[in-house]
């Protein structure tokens, strides 16, 4: 499943309405310099490859604050993962601001994908919404640009797939079921609904802890660039976990 679905893409900063990604690896997806010593193990093809133990986070650009994901890598493929909540921080900033939270998550996901110009547009829309400004026309143009990018969909389709039974097992809300592309589509729908006066879905108090719980299962078998996209598509707010603890 993982082989051909995986982007190592950076998206060219051309005209905002005509941006498409190319296939170079984003610098933030490289393993940290302090990666641990390598072990050896059989990979899925039966070859003996080094196993590197690599932490992602808790301090990493466009990464959920306070989260550390400890990975065992063969090549750039995740063999196993463990999520650790290192610092759950100062309370649920996004409570009552779900549409702004989704724009914030979209900005991070697009930056991880390498689409910096679209990410900046999402951040500007987020700030406008938090300031109480009208963003309807700006969001319409942003949504149209994101949805028509076939290469962005190729980058996100088929990775990080959350099955309904896994969502039930971890207590993850049903709207997170699907892959990275599905979750981004869901965010865009939720934002549009909120701007049209319909509100946004509100999940239970344990949503963010459940998202952290399911993350290792979703990244196992993915490559390192895909793992970062998967984490961005879940976008857990560890401040909310602290408030509920």
């Amino acid at each position: 499943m993982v082989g051909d679905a995986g982007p190592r893409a950076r998206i060219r900063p051309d005209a905002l309405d005509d941006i498409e990604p190319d296939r170079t690896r984003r610098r933030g997806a490289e393993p940290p310099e302090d990666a641990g010593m390598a072990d050896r193990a059989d990979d899925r093809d039966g070859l003996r490859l080094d196993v590197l133990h690599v932490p992602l986070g808790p301090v990493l650009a466009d990464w959920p604050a306070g989260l550390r994901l400890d990975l065992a890598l063969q090549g750039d493929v995740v063999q196993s993962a463990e999520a650790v909540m290192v610092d759950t921080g100062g309370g649920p900033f996004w409570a009552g601001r779900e549409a702004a939270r989704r724009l914030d998550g979209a900005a991070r996901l697009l930056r991880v994908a390498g689409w910096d110009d679209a990410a900046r547009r999402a951040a500007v829309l987020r700030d406008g919404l938090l300031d109480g400004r009208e963003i309807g026309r700006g969001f319409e143009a942003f949504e149209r640009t994101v949805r028509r990018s076939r290469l962005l969909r190729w980058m996100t389709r088929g990775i990080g797939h959350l099955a309904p039974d896994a969502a039930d097992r971890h207590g993850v809300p049903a709207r997170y079921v699907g892959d990275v592309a599905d979750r981004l589509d869901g965010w865009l729908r939720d934002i549009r609904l909120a701007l049209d006066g319909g509100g946004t879905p509100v999940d239970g108090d344990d949503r963010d802890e459940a998202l952290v719980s399911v993350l290792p299962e979703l990244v196992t078998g993915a490559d390192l660039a895909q793992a970062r996209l998967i984490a961005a598509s879940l976008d857990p707010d560890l401040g909310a976990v602290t408030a509920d603890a």
Side-chain angles (χ1 to χ4, degrees):
M1 287 288 298
V2 176
D4 293 332
R8 296 178 180 82
R10 190 173 188 86
I11 298 179
R12 299 191 301 271
D14 299 328
L16 289 180
D17 288 337
D18 297 303
I19 302 171
E20 287 289 344
D22 64 28
R23 300 186 184 181
T24 55
R25 179 184 292 276
R26 184 168 173 81
R27 187 171 54 238
E30 296 293 344
E33 293 181 359
D34 60 350
M37 296 294 290
D39 300 321
R40 290 228 168 203
D42 292 333
D43 79 343
R44 55 193 172 191
D45 297 319
L47 302 175
R48 297 289 288 178
L49 294 178
D50 288 342
V51 177
L52 288 175
H53 300 280
V54 177
L56 292 181
V59 180
L60 182 64
D62 304 312
W63 182 260
L67 175 66
R68 190 182 78 229
L69 190 62
D70 294 330
L71 305 178
L73 297 174
Q74 284 184 302
D76 67 348
V77 176
V78 178
Q79 301 299 314
S80 64
E82 180 181 4
V84 181
M85 292 185 287
V86 175
D87 181 3
T88 48
F93 172 79
W94 298 112
R97 300 163 170 159
E98 287 293 325
R101 172 178 176 171
R102 284 157 175 70
L103 281 166
D104 186 72
R108 270 197 302 278
L109 193 155
L110 291 167
R111 276 193 297 268
V112 170
W115 200 350
D116 293 335
D117 286 317
R120 282 193 291 271
R121 290 175 81 176
V124 168
L125 292 168
R126 173 204 63 202
D127 293 345
L129 193 58
L130 290 173
D131 290 342
R133 298 196 298 270
E134 169 59 44
I135 67 166
R137 291 182 63 185
F139 176 74
E140 182 178 350
F142 166 77
E143 181 183 20
R144 183 172 60 249
T145 299
V146 171
R147 287 193 182 280
R148 76 183 188 182
S149 173
R150 290 179 293 177
L151 193 46
L152 178 65
R153 182 162 294 274
W154 171 82
M155 292 172 66
T156 55
R157 177 60 69 198
I159 66 171
H161 187 269
L162 177 60
D165 60 337
D168 289 342
R169 187 169 67 253
H170 289 273
V172 175
R175 62 189 183 84
Y176 287 87
V177 168
D179 57 21
V180 171
D182 292 326
R183 289 187 282 276
L184 178 58
D185 285 346
W187 289 350
L188 296 175
R189 284 194 304 271
D190 289 347
I191 297 162
R192 168 55 57 199
L193 182 63
L195 295 179
D196 289 343
T200 54
V202 178
D203 301 313
D205 291 339
D206 58 353
R207 166 187 60 184
D208 296 284
E209 192 167 6
L211 293 173
V212 172
S213 172
V214 79
L215 178 58
E217 184 174 334
L218 297 188
V219 301
T220 299
D223 69 30
L224 191 56
Q226 292 171 341
R228 290 212 56 189
L229 284 169
I230 293 165
S233 77
L234 295 178
D235 193 32
D237 177 11
L238 271 64
V241 174
T242 294
D244 299 333

